[in-house]
Amino acid sequence: VQGIDASGWVADLLEGSADTSRMPRLDQPEGFDGELRPYQAAGLSWLAFLDRMGLGACLADDMGLGKTIQLIALLQHERERLGCSPGPTLLIVPTSVVSNWRREIGRFAEALRVHVQHGPDRPVGDRFVAMAEDFDVIITTYTLLSRDRDTLLRTDFHRVVLDEAQYIKNPPTKQTATIRALRARRRIALTGTPVENRLSELWSIIEFCNPGYLGPQSEFRRLFPVPIERHRGSRRAEQLRALVRPFILRRVKTD
């Protein structure tokens, strides 16, 4: 590829300076039982745009700004746009919020069919693979990934979503390896803290969302964390910011 010519907000996206206020705004899904705030509607439009392009997204809004609601709105929008289910979304969450996710999906989008993959009687193996297509959302937990690895890796998912995506900030873990090996056409990370301590955490999240985009971890470390963290390299910091900006949407409560 020698070059790409584009205009408008597509050019902004390719140049790493996408502005959600300039993207075509989607109407709230008819089956969404609630009212999206303007910034949440902008988040829905952004998620849907990247999704249509086959690109992964990291929604990194501050805690309390409604990342859960924006994802549910995306699932409902997708179902209404297609007129049917596109396939199961695997939602991986901390154990402590399983019931909250189940309750919020039922509250805002009761038409979505939800299965909670948890507990000693959960289906595994052929039973799980056979029933997965009957649901829009399958909720499981980070703690069950290793135990259900063989079952999950046999299943084709439409999308994988990580809630509290900082759980994969340590790339070498078996848990992270299982998540990256899942077969899914779409990937979304939800986190209020895309970077807590080290830039390697950012690489891990982007590697999940868009595998290979930032290159191998060793090369990424040489190009960015070393000059930025050790030598205060402002030029490298700006390059990295431009690279990841199209795929990370972060709003804070003071915005």
Side-chain angles (χ1 to χ4, degrees), residues 11-98:
D12 290 342
L13 177 71
L14 295 174
E15 293 167 5
S17 57
D19 180 356
T20 55
S21 67
R22 294 176 57 184
M23 284 188 175
R25 188 64 58 90
L26 295 177
D27 293 330
Q28 180 172 303
E30 292 183 6
F32 183 82
D33 190 12
E35 186 173 349
L36 294 176
R37 296 176 178 176
Y39 73 88
Q40 292 171 338
L44 164 63
S45 301
W46 178 78
L47 287 170
F49 167 73
L50 290 181
D51 199 70
R52 288 196 306 273
M53 298 284 287
L55 299 169
C58 175
L59 182 59
D61 286 345
D62 238 352
M63 184 182 297
L65 293 184
K67 294 186 290 294
T68 298
I69 290 173
Q70 291 172 76
L71 178 72
I72 295 172
L74 173 70
L75 298 177
Q76 183 65 31
H77 160 77
E78 182 177 60
R79 185 179 178 86
E80 292 179 7
R81 180 175 63 86
L82 296 174
C84 62
S85 174
T89 286
L90 180 66
L91 176 58
I92 305 172
V93 307
T95 305
S96 60
V97 299
V98 169

Coordinates of all heavy atoms in Angstrom, one line a residue, residues 11-98:
A11 N -10.7 10.4 7.6 CA -9.3 10.9 7.6 C -8.8 11.1 9.0 O -7.7 10.8 9.3 CB -9.2 12.2 6.8
D12 N -9.7 11.7 9.9 CA -9.3 11.9 11.3 C -8.9 10.5 11.9 O -8.0 10.4 12.7 CB -10.4 12.5 12.0 CG -10.6 14.0 11.6 OD1 -9.6 14.6 11.0 OD2 -11.6 14.6 11.9
L13 N -9.7 9.5 11.6 CA -9.5 8.2 12.2 C -8.2 7.6 11.8 O -7.3 7.2 12.6 CB -10.6 7.2 11.8 CG -10.4 5.8 12.3 CD1 -10.6 5.7 13.9 CD2 -11.4 4.8 11.6
L14 N -7.9 7.7 10.5 CA -6.7 7.1 9.9 C -5.4 7.9 10.4 O -4.3 7.4 10.6 CB -6.7 7.2 8.4 CG -7.7 6.2 7.8 CD1 -7.8 6.4 6.3 CD2 -7.5 4.8 8.1
E15 N -5.6 9.2 10.7 CA -4.5 10.0 11.2 C -4.4 10.0 12.7 O -3.5 10.6 13.3 CB -4.7 11.5 10.8 CG -4.6 11.7 9.2 CD -5.1 13.0 8.8 OE1 -5.4 13.8 9.7 OE2 -5.1 13.3 7.6
G16 N -5.2 9.2 13.4 CA -5.1 9.0 14.8 C -5.7 10.2 15.6 O -5.4 10.4 16.7
S17 N -6.7 10.9 15.0 CA -7.3 12.1 15.7 C -8.8 12.1 15.6 O -9.4 13.1 15.4 CB -6.7 13.4 15.2 OG -6.9 13.5 13.8
A18 N -9.4 10.9 15.7 CA -10.8 10.8 15.5 C -11.6 11.5 16.6 O -11.2 11.5 17.7 CB -11.2 9.3 15.5
D19 N -12.6 12.2 16.1 CA -13.4 13.0 17.0 C -14.9 12.4 17.0 O -15.5 12.5 16.0 CB -13.5 14.5 16.6 CG -14.3 15.3 17.5 OD1 -15.0 14.8 18.4 OD2 -14.3 16.5 17.3
T20 N -15.3 11.8 18.1 CA -16.6 11.2 18.1 C -17.8 12.1 17.8 O -18.8 11.7 17.3 CB -16.9 10.5 19.4 OG1 -16.8 11.5 20.5 CG2 -16.0 9.4 19.7
S21 N -17.6 13.4 18.0 CA -18.6 14.4 17.7 C -18.9 14.5 16.3 O -19.9 15.0 15.8 CB -18.3 15.7 18.4 OG -17.2 16.3 17.8
R22 N -17.9 14.1 15.4 CA -18.0 14.3 14.0 C -18.5 13.0 13.3 O -18.7 13.0 12.1 CB -16.7 14.7 13.4 CG -16.3 16.1 13.8 CD -14.9 16.5 13.3 NE -14.9 16.4 11.8 CZ -13.8 16.6 11.1 NH1 -12.7 16.9 11.7 NH2 -13.8 16.5 9.8
M23 N -18.6 11.9 14.1 CA -19.1 10.7 13.5 C -20.6 10.7 13.3 O -21.3 11.3 14.1 CB -18.7 9.5 14.4 CG -17.3 9.1 14.3 SD -16.9 7.6 15.2 CE -15.2 7.3 14.8
P24 N -21.1 10.0 12.3 CA -22.6 9.9 12.2 C -23.2 9.4 13.5 O -22.8 8.3 13.9 CB -22.8 8.9 11.0 CG -21.5 9.0 10.2 CD -20.4 9.3 11.2
R25 N -24.2 10.1 14.0 CA -24.8 9.7 15.3 C -25.9 8.7 15.1 O -26.8 8.9 14.3 CB -25.3 10.9 16.0 CG -25.8 10.6 17.4 CD -24.6 10.2 18.3 NE -23.5 11.1 18.4 CZ -23.5 12.1 19.3 NH1 -24.4 12.3 20.2 NH2 -22.4 13.0 19.3
L26 N -25.8 7.5 15.7 CA -26.9 6.5 15.6 C -28.0 6.9 16.5 O -27.9 7.5 17.6 CB -26.3 5.1 16.0 CG -25.2 4.5 15.2 CD1 -24.8 3.2 15.8 CD2 -25.7 4.3 13.8
D27 N -29.2 6.5 16.1 CA -30.4 6.7 16.9 C -30.3 5.6 18.0 O -29.8 4.5 17.8 CB -31.7 6.5 16.1 CG -31.9 7.6 15.1 OD1 -31.4 8.8 15.4 OD2 -32.5 7.4 14.1
Q28 N -30.9 5.9 19.1 CA -31.0 4.9 20.2 C -31.8 3.7 19.7 O -32.8 3.8 19.1 CB -31.6 5.5 21.4 CG -31.7 4.5 22.6 CD -32.2 5.3 23.8 OE1 -31.6 6.2 24.3 NE2 -33.3 4.8 24.4
P29 N -31.3 2.5 20.0 CA -32.1 1.3 19.5 C -33.5 1.3 20.1 O -33.7 1.7 21.2 CB -31.3 0.1 20.1 CG -29.9 0.6 20.3 CD -30.1 2.1 20.6
E30 N -34.5 0.9 19.2 CA -35.9 1.0 19.7 C -36.1 0.0 20.9 O -36.9 0.3 21.7 CB -36.8 0.5 18.5 CG -36.8 1.6 17.4 CD -37.8 1.2 16.3 OE1 -38.5 0.1 16.5 OE2 -37.8 1.8 15.2
G31 N -35.4 -1.1 20.9 CA -35.6 -2.1 22.0 C -34.8 -1.8 23.2 O -34.8 -2.6 24.1
F32 N -34.1 -0.7 23.3 CA -33.3 -0.3 24.4 C -34.2 0.4 25.4 O -34.7 1.5 25.1 CB -32.1 0.6 24.0 CG -31.2 0.9 25.2 CD1 -30.2 0.0 25.6 CD2 -31.3 2.1 25.8 CE1 -29.4 0.3 26.6 CE2 -30.5 2.4 26.9 CZ -29.5 1.5 27.3
D33 N -34.4 -0.2 26.6 CA -35.4 0.4 27.6 C -34.6 1.3 28.5 O -34.3 1.0 29.6 CB -36.0 -0.8 28.3 CG -37.2 -0.3 29.2 OD1 -37.6 0.8 29.0 OD2 -37.6 -1.1 30.1
G34 N -34.4 2.5 28.0 CA -33.7 3.5 28.8 C -33.4 4.7 27.9 O -33.9 4.8 26.8
E35 N -32.7 5.7 28.4 CA -32.4 6.8 27.6 C -30.9 7.1 27.7 O -30.3 7.4 28.8 CB -33.1 8.1 28.1 CG -32.9 9.3 27.2 CD -33.8 10.4 27.6 OE1 -34.7 10.2 28.4 OE2 -33.6 11.6 27.1
L36 N -30.2 7.0 26.5 CA -28.7 7.2 26.5 C -28.5 8.7 26.6 O -29.1 9.5 26.0 CB -28.1 6.7 25.2 CG -28.2 5.2 25.0 CD1 -27.6 4.9 23.6 CD2 -27.4 4.4 26.0
R37 N -27.5 9.0 27.4 CA -27.0 10.4 27.5 C -26.3 10.7 26.2 O -25.8 9.8 25.6 CB -26.2 10.6 28.8 CG -27.0 10.4 30.0 CD -26.1 10.5 31.3 NE -26.9 10.4 32.5 CZ -26.4 10.4 33.7 NH1 -25.1 10.5 33.9 NH2 -27.2 10.3 34.7
P38 N -26.1 12.0 25.9 CA -25.4 12.3 24.6 C -24.0 11.7 24.5 O -23.7 11.2 23.4 CB -25.3 13.9 24.6 CG -26.5 14.3 25.5 CD -26.7 13.2 26.5
Y39 N -23.2 11.7 25.5 CA -21.9 11.1 25.4 C -22.0 9.6 25.3 O -21.1 8.9 24.6 CB -21.0 11.5 26.6 CG -21.3 10.8 27.9 CD1 -20.8 9.6 28.2 CD2 -22.2 11.4 28.8 CE1 -21.1 9.0 29.4 CE2 -22.5 10.8 30.0 CZ -22.0 9.6 30.3 OH -22.2 9.0 31.5
Q40 N -23.0 9.0 25.8 CA -23.2 7.5 25.7 C -23.7 7.2 24.3 O -23.3 6.2 23.7 CB -24.2 7.0 26.7 CG -23.7 7.1 28.2 CD -24.8 6.8 29.2 OE1 -26.0 6.9 28.9 NE2 -24.4 6.4 30.4
A41 N -24.5 8.0 23.7 CA -24.9 7.8 22.3 C -23.7 8.0 21.4 O -23.6 7.2 20.4 CB -26.0 8.8 21.9
A42 N -22.8 8.9 21.7 CA -21.6 9.0 20.9 C -20.7 7.8 21.1 O -20.1 7.3 20.1 CB -20.8 10.3 21.4
G43 N -20.7 7.2 22.3 CA -19.9 6.0 22.5 C -20.5 4.8 21.7 O -19.7 4.0 21.1
L44 N -21.8 4.7 21.7 CA -22.5 3.7 20.9 C -22.1 3.8 19.4 O -21.8 2.9 18.7 CB -24.0 3.8 21.1 CG -24.8 3.0 20.0 CD1 -24.6 1.5 20.1 CD2 -26.3 3.3 20.2
S45 N -22.2 5.1 18.9 CA -21.8 5.3 17.5 C -20.4 4.9 17.2 O -20.1 4.4 16.1 CB -22.1 6.8 17.1 OG -23.4 7.1 17.4
W46 N -19.5 5.3 18.1 CA -18.1 4.9 17.9 C -17.8 3.4 17.9 O -17.1 2.9 17.1 CB -17.3 5.6 19.0 CG -15.8 5.4 19.0 CD1 -14.9 5.9 18.2 CD2 -15.1 4.5 19.9 NE1 -13.6 5.5 18.5 CE2 -13.7 4.6 19.6 CE3 -15.5 3.6 20.9 CZ2 -12.8 3.8 20.2 CZ3 -14.5 2.9 21.6 CH2 -13.2 3.0 21.2
L47 N -18.4 2.7 18.9 CA -18.3 1.3 19.0 C -18.9 0.6 17.7 O -18.2 -0.3 17.1 CB -19.0 0.7 20.2 CG -18.4 1.0 21.5 CD1 -19.4 0.6 22.7 CD2 -17.1 0.2 21.7
A48 N -20.0 1.1 17.2 CA -20.6 0.5 16.1 C -19.8 0.7 14.8 O -19.7 -0.1 13.9 CB -22.0 1.1 15.9
F49 N -19.2 1.9 14.7 CA -18.4 2.2 13.5 C -17.2 1.3 13.5 O -16.9 0.7 12.4 CB -17.9 3.7 13.6 CG -16.8 4.0 12.6 CD1 -17.0 4.0 11.2 CD2 -15.5 4.1 13.0 CE1 -16.0 4.3 10.3 CE2 -14.5 4.4 12.1 CZ -14.7 4.4 10.8
L50 N -16.4 1.2 14.6 CA -15.3 0.3 14.6 C -15.7 -1.1 14.3 O -15.0 -1.9 13.6 CB -14.5 0.4 15.9 CG -13.7 1.7 16.1 CD1 -13.0 1.7 17.4 CD2 -12.7 2.0 15.0
D51 N -16.8 -1.5 14.9 CA -17.3 -2.9 14.7 C -17.6 -3.2 13.3 O -17.3 -4.3 12.8 CB -18.6 -3.0 15.6 CG -18.9 -4.5 15.9 OD1 -18.2 -5.1 16.6 OD2 -19.9 -5.0 15.3
R52 N -18.2 -2.2 12.6 CA -18.5 -2.5 11.1 C -17.2 -2.6 10.3 O -17.2 -3.3 9.3 CB -19.4 -1.3 10.6 CG -20.8 -1.3 11.1 CD -21.7 -0.4 10.2 NE -21.2 0.9 10.1 CZ -21.4 1.9 11.0 NH1 -22.2 1.7 12.1 NH2 -21.0 3.1 10.8
M53 N -16.2 -1.9 10.8 CA -14.9 -2.0 10.1 C -14.1 -3.2 10.4 O -13.0 -3.4 9.9 CB -14.1 -0.7 10.4 CG -14.7 0.6 10.0 SD -14.5 0.9 8.2 CE -12.8 1.3 8.1
G54 N -14.6 -4.0 11.4 CA -13.9 -5.2 11.8 C -12.7 -4.9 12.7 O -11.8 -5.7 12.9
L55 N -12.8 -3.7 13.4 CA -11.7 -3.3 14.3 C -12.1 -3.4 15.7 O -13.3 -3.1 16.1 CB -11.3 -1.8 14.0 CG -10.8 -1.6 12.6 CD1 -10.7 -0.1 12.3 CD2 -9.5 -2.2 12.3
G56 N -11.2 -3.8 16.6 CA -11.4 -3.9 18.0 C -11.4 -2.5 18.7 O -10.8 -1.6 18.2
A57 N -12.1 -2.4 19.8 CA -12.2 -1.1 20.5 C -12.0 -1.3 22.0 O -12.3 -2.3 22.5 CB -13.6 -0.5 20.3
C58 N -11.4 -0.2 22.6 CA -11.3 -0.2 24.0 C -12.1 1.0 24.5 O -11.7 2.2 24.3 CB -9.8 0.0 24.4 SG -9.5 0.2 26.2
L59 N -13.2 0.7 25.2 CA -14.0 1.8 25.8 C -13.4 2.0 27.2 O -13.6 1.1 28.1 CB -15.5 1.4 25.8 CG -16.4 2.4 26.4 CD1 -16.4 3.8 25.6 CD2 -17.8 1.9 26.4
A60 N -12.8 3.2 27.4 CA -12.1 3.4 28.7 C -12.6 4.6 29.5 O -11.9 5.3 30.2 CB -10.6 3.7 28.4
D61 N -13.9 4.7 29.4 CA -14.6 5.8 30.2 C -14.3 5.6 31.7 O -14.2 4.5 32.2 CB -16.1 5.8 30.0 CG -16.4 6.4 28.6 OD1 -15.6 7.0 28.0 OD2 -17.6 6.2 28.2
D62 N -14.3 6.7 32.4 CA -14.2 6.7 33.9 C -15.3 5.8 34.5 O -16.4 5.7 33.9 CB -14.4 8.1 34.4 CG -13.2 8.6 35.2 OD1 -12.3 7.7 35.5 OD2 -13.1 9.8 35.6
M63 N -15.0 5.3 35.6 CA -16.0 4.5 36.4 C -17.3 5.4 36.6 O -17.2 6.5 37.0 CB -15.5 4.0 37.7 CG -16.4 3.1 38.5 SD -15.7 2.5 40.0 CE -14.3 1.6 39.5
G64 N -18.5 4.8 36.4 CA -19.7 5.5 36.6 C -20.3 6.2 35.4 O -21.4 6.8 35.5
L65 N -19.6 6.2 34.3 CA -20.1 6.9 33.1 C -20.9 5.9 32.2 O -21.3 6.4 31.1 CB -18.9 7.5 32.3 CG -18.2 8.7 33.0 CD1 -17.2 9.3 32.1 CD2 -19.2 9.7 33.5
G66 N -21.0 4.7 32.5 CA -21.9 3.8 31.8 C -21.3 3.0 30.7 O -21.9 2.9 29.6
K67 N -20.2 2.4 30.9 CA -19.6 1.5 29.9 C -20.5 0.3 29.7 O -20.7 -0.1 28.5 CB -18.2 1.0 30.4 CG -17.2 2.1 30.4 CD -15.8 1.6 30.7 CE -15.6 1.0 32.1 NZ -15.7 2.1 33.2
T68 N -21.1 -0.2 30.7 CA -22.1 -1.3 30.6 C -23.2 -1.0 29.7 O -23.6 -1.8 28.8 CB -22.6 -1.7 32.0 OG1 -21.5 -2.2 32.8 CG2 -23.6 -2.9 31.9
I69 N -23.8 0.2 29.9 CA -25.0 0.6 29.2 C -24.7 0.7 27.7 O -25.4 0.4 26.8 CB -25.6 1.9 29.7 CG1 -26.2 1.6 31.1 CG2 -26.6 2.5 28.8 CD1 -26.6 2.9 31.8
Q70 N -23.5 1.3 27.4 CA -23.1 1.5 26.0 C -22.9 0.2 25.3 O -23.3 0.1 24.1 CB -21.8 2.4 26.0 CG -22.1 3.8 26.4 CD -20.8 4.6 26.6 OE1 -20.2 5.0 25.6 NE2 -20.3 4.8 27.8
L71 N -22.3 -0.8 26.0 CA -22.2 -2.1 25.3 C -23.5 -2.8 25.1 O -23.8 -3.3 24.0 CB -21.3 -3.0 26.2 CG -21.1 -4.4 25.6 CD1 -20.2 -4.4 24.4 CD2 -20.6 -5.4 26.6
I72 N -24.4 -2.7 26.1 CA -25.7 -3.3 25.9 C -26.5 -2.6 24.7 O -27.1 -3.3 23.9 CB -26.6 -3.2 27.2 CG1 -25.9 -4.0 28.3 CG2 -28.0 -3.6 27.0 CD1 -26.5 -3.8 29.7
A73 N -26.3 -1.3 24.6 CA -27.0 -0.6 23.5 C -26.4 -1.1 22.2 O -27.1 -1.2 21.2 CB -26.8 0.9 23.7
L74 N -25.1 -1.3 22.1 CA -24.5 -1.8 20.9 C -25.1 -3.2 20.5 O -25.4 -3.5 19.4 CB -23.0 -2.0 21.1 CG -22.2 -2.6 19.9 CD1 -22.2 -1.8 18.7 CD2 -20.8 -3.0 20.3
L75 N -25.2 -4.1 21.5 CA -25.7 -5.4 21.3 C -27.2 -5.3 20.7 O -27.6 -6.1 19.8 CB -25.7 -6.3 22.5 CG -24.3 -6.6 23.1 CD1 -24.4 -7.3 24.4 CD2 -23.4 -7.3 22.1
Q76 N -28.0 -4.5 21.3 CA -29.4 -4.3 20.9 C -29.4 -3.7 19.5 O -30.2 -4.1 18.6 CB -30.1 -3.4 21.9 CG -31.6 -3.3 21.6 CD -32.4 -4.6 21.6 OE1 -32.0 -5.5 22.4 NE2 -33.4 -4.7 20.8
H77 N -28.6 -2.7 19.3 CA -28.5 -2.0 17.9 C -28.1 -3.0 16.9 O -28.8 -3.1 15.8 CB -27.5 -0.9 18.0 CG -27.0 -0.5 16.6 ND1 -27.7 0.3 15.7 CD2 -25.8 -0.8 15.9 CE1 -27.1 0.4 14.6 NE2 -25.9 -0.2 14.7
E78 N -27.2 -3.9 17.1 CA -26.7 -4.8 16.2 C -27.8 -5.8 15.8 O -28.0 -6.2 14.7 CB -25.5 -5.6 16.8 CG -24.9 -6.6 15.9 CD -23.6 -7.2 16.6 OE1 -23.8 -7.8 17.7 OE2 -22.5 -7.0 16.1
R79 N -28.5 -6.3 16.9 CA -29.6 -7.2 16.6 C -30.7 -6.6 15.8 O -31.3 -7.3 14.9 CB -30.2 -7.7 18.0 CG -31.2 -8.8 17.9 CD -31.7 -9.2 19.2 NE -32.8 -10.2 19.1 CZ -32.5 -11.5 19.0 NH1 -31.3 -12.0 19.0 NH2 -33.5 -12.4 18.9
E80 N -31.1 -5.3 16.1 CA -32.1 -4.7 15.3 C -31.7 -4.4 13.9 O -32.5 -4.5 12.9 CB -32.5 -3.4 16.0 CG -33.2 -3.6 17.3 CD -33.6 -2.3 18.1 OE1 -33.4 -1.2 17.5 OE2 -34.1 -2.4 19.2
R81 N -30.4 -4.0 13.7 CA -29.9 -3.7 12.3 C -30.0 -4.9 11.5 O -30.3 -4.9 10.3 CB -28.5 -3.1 12.4 CG -27.9 -2.8 11.1 CD -26.5 -2.1 11.3 NE -25.6 -3.0 11.9 CZ -24.8 -3.9 11.2 NH1 -24.9 -4.0 9.9 NH2 -23.9 -4.6 11.9
L82 N -29.6 -6.1 12.0 CA -29.5 -7.3 11.2 C -30.9 -8.0 11.1 O -31.1 -8.8 10.2 CB -28.5 -8.3 11.8 CG -27.0 -7.8 11.8 CD1 -26.1 -8.8 12.5 CD2 -26.5 -7.6 10.4
G83 N -31.7 -7.8 12.1 CA -33.0 -8.4 12.1 C -32.9 -9.8 12.7 O -33.9 -10.6 12.7
C84 N -31.8 -10.2 13.2 CA -31.6 -11.5 13.9 C -30.3 -11.4 14.7 O -29.6 -10.4 14.7 CB -31.5 -12.6 12.9 SG -30.1 -12.4 11.7
S85 N -30.0 -12.5 15.4 CA -28.8 -12.5 16.2 C -27.6 -12.8 15.3 O -27.6 -13.7 14.5 CB -28.9 -13.6 17.3 OG -27.6 -13.7 18.0
P86 N -26.5 -12.0 15.5 CA -25.3 -12.2 14.7 C -24.5 -13.4 15.2 O -23.5 -13.8 14.6 CB -24.5 -10.9 14.8 CG -24.9 -10.4 16.1 CD -26.3 -10.8 16.3
G87 N -24.9 -14.0 16.3 CA -24.1 -15.0 17.0 C -23.8 -14.6 18.4 O -24.0 -13.4 18.8
P88 N -23.3 -15.5 19.2 CA -23.1 -15.2 20.6 C -21.9 -14.3 20.9 O -20.8 -14.4 20.3 CB -22.8 -16.6 21.2 CG -22.2 -17.4 20.1 CD -22.9 -16.9 18.8
T89 N -22.1 -13.4 21.8 CA -21.0 -12.5 22.4 C -20.6 -13.2 23.7 O -21.5 -13.4 24.6 CB -21.5 -11.1 22.6 OG1 -21.6 -10.4 21.4 CG2 -20.5 -10.3 23.5
L90 N -19.3 -13.5 23.8 CA -18.8 -14.0 25.1 C -18.3 -12.8 25.9 O -17.5 -12.1 25.5 CB -17.6 -15.0 24.8 CG -17.0 -15.6 26.1 CD1 -18.0 -16.5 26.8 CD2 -15.7 -16.3 25.7
L91 N -19.0 -12.7 27.1 CA -18.7 -11.6 28.0 C -17.9 -12.1 29.2 O -18.5 -12.9 29.9 CB -20.0 -10.9 28.4 CG -19.9 -9.8 29.4 CD1 -19.0 -8.6 28.9 CD2 -21.3 -9.2 29.7
I92 N -16.6 -11.7 29.3 CA -15.8 -12.2 30.4 C -15.7 -11.2 31.5 O -15.2 -10.0 31.2 CB -14.4 -12.6 29.9 CG1 -14.5 -13.6 28.7 CG2 -13.5 -13.2 31.0 CD1 -13.2 -13.9 28.0
V93 N -16.1 -11.5 32.7 CA -16.2 -10.5 33.7 C -15.6 -11.0 35.0 O -15.5 -12.2 35.2 CB -17.7 -10.1 34.0 CG1 -18.4 -9.7 32.7 CG2 -18.5 -11.3 34.6
P94 N -15.3 -10.1 36.0 CA -15.0 -10.6 37.3 C -16.2 -11.3 38.0 O -17.3 -10.9 37.7 CB -14.6 -9.3 38.1 CG -14.3 -8.3 37.0 CD -15.2 -8.7 35.9
T95 N -15.9 -12.3 38.8 CA -17.0 -13.1 39.4 C -18.0 -12.2 40.2 O -19.2 -12.4 40.2 CB -16.4 -14.1 40.4 OG1 -15.5 -14.9 39.6 CG2 -17.5 -15.0 40.9
S96 N -17.5 -11.1 40.8 CA -18.3 -10.3 41.6 C -19.4 -9.5 40.9 O -20.3 -9.0 41.5 CB -17.4 -9.3 42.4 OG -16.7 -8.5 41.5
V97 N -19.3 -9.4 39.6 CA -20.2 -8.6 38.8 C -21.1 -9.4 37.9 O -21.8 -8.8 37.0 CB -19.5 -7.4 38.1 CG1 -18.8 -6.5 39.0 CG2 -18.6 -8.0 37.0
V98 N -21.0 -10.7 38.0 CA -21.9 -11.6 37.1 C -23.3 -11.2 37.2 O -24.0 -11.0 36.2 CB -21.6 -13.1 37.4 CG1 -22.7 -13.9 36.7 CG2 -20.2 -13.5 37.0

